Amino acid sequence: HAGFNTGNHVGEAVNFALAPWISYGFLSLQRYRATGSMSCLDIERMICHAAGLCGQEDNVALLRRGGKVKGCDLESMGLLAKGLSLLIEWQERLVGWASRKGYAVKQMPPWHGDEYLDRQLCGTCNHICHMAYLQVEGNNLESRRMCAEHLDFLGPGNKEVVLRYTCEELASIAQKLTRFA
């Protein structure tokens, strides 16, 4: 974090993270969840967005020729691929668990607003559920959405897992990254 103050009640800040920071981001996420505080950083979104951007073929070709792509370099691609693989493994375990329990798995409805306001929060720990959340079938109240760790708080009814990305979409992004990383 870097910032400067330009006078009375005016401040500027630049938030950034280098790719090696991803493992610390996951650790901080666990600490936020333990306290019930909402993280100001949606690390799942950051990894998915950056991985998608870095995995675009024209960006990779530019990097290979020594060019620059904002927010992406070859070392970062390897670290993003590792972070993305952790998210993919987590989602695959979640989908497998839901299947064994007989829970429905469906896609999140499209968001039609400012993308930075698209935050599905766990009603218990305030975790930003970018990848997936659970809810009782037919109950679309935002306060009744839970992360996978708080399934017991949903109460009675048929549970469903709601995913932002299919496992195939995530695998496609990962394949592009690992092919060039």
Side-chain angles (χ1 to χ4, degrees):
H1 181 88
F4 60 90
N5 192 330
T6 60
N8 251 353
H9 307 294
V10 177
E12 277 296 318
V14 177
N15 292 307
F16 64 93
L18 302 173
W21 177 87
I22 290 172
S23 61
Y24 297 111
F26 280 123
L27 179 61
S28 74
L29 197 74
Q30 293 305 316
R31 291 184 176 160
Y32 272 105
R33 290 174 101 163
T35 63
S37 302
M38 185 178 83
S39 172
C40 58
L41 173 68
D42 185 350
I43 192 167
E44 295 171 0
R45 177 193 297 267
M46 181 196 79
I47 290 171
C48 292
H49 178 77
L53 177 69
C54 290
Q56 292 175 357
E57 302 225 6
D58 46 335
N59 287 343
V60 172
L62 184 61
L63 286 169
R64 290 263 185 235
R65 291 192 308 270
K68 302 252 185 241
V69 174
K70 183 179 177 181
C72 190
D73 57 60
L74 292 176
E75 180 184 356
S76 297
M77 289 173 72
L79 293 167
L80 284 169
K82 183 172 172 62
L84 185 62
S85 72
L86 291 172
L87 293 175
I88 290 170
E89 287 171 20
W90 174 84
Q91 181 166 303
E92 287 173 345
R93 283 193 314 270
L94 178 65
V95 169
W97 168 82
S99 176
R100 287 188 302 279
K101 291 282 194 177
Y103 297 157
V105 177
K106 67 179 203 174
Q107 287 292 124
M108 280 186 202
W111 179 258
H112 297 292
D114 184 339
E115 69 177 289
Y116 296 104
L117 297 176
D118 182 13
R119 290 186 167 207
Q120 313 299 326
L121 299 178
C122 172
T124 301
C125 70
N126 284 325
H127 169 68
I128 303 169
C129 302
H130 179 74
M131 302 282 292
Y133 59 83
L134 287 89
Q135 66 184 16
V136 173
E137 247 177 54
N139 186 348
N140 292 325
L141 293 174
E142 288 185 22
S143 64
R144 299 298 302 153
R145 294 178 180 157
M146 302 292 164
C147 66
E149 293 182 20
H150 294 106
L151 171 69
D152 295 339
F153 291 91
L154 281 175
N158 293 331
K159 314 295 190 280
E160 59 187 10
V161 175
V162 184
L163 304 175
R164 181 173 306 271
Y165 311 102
T166 65
C167 292
E168 293 78 17
E169 288 171 321
L170 291 172
S172 173
I173 294 170
Q175 180 193 24
K176 290 175 187 172
L177 268 184
T178 55
R179 188 172 64 204
F180 296 109

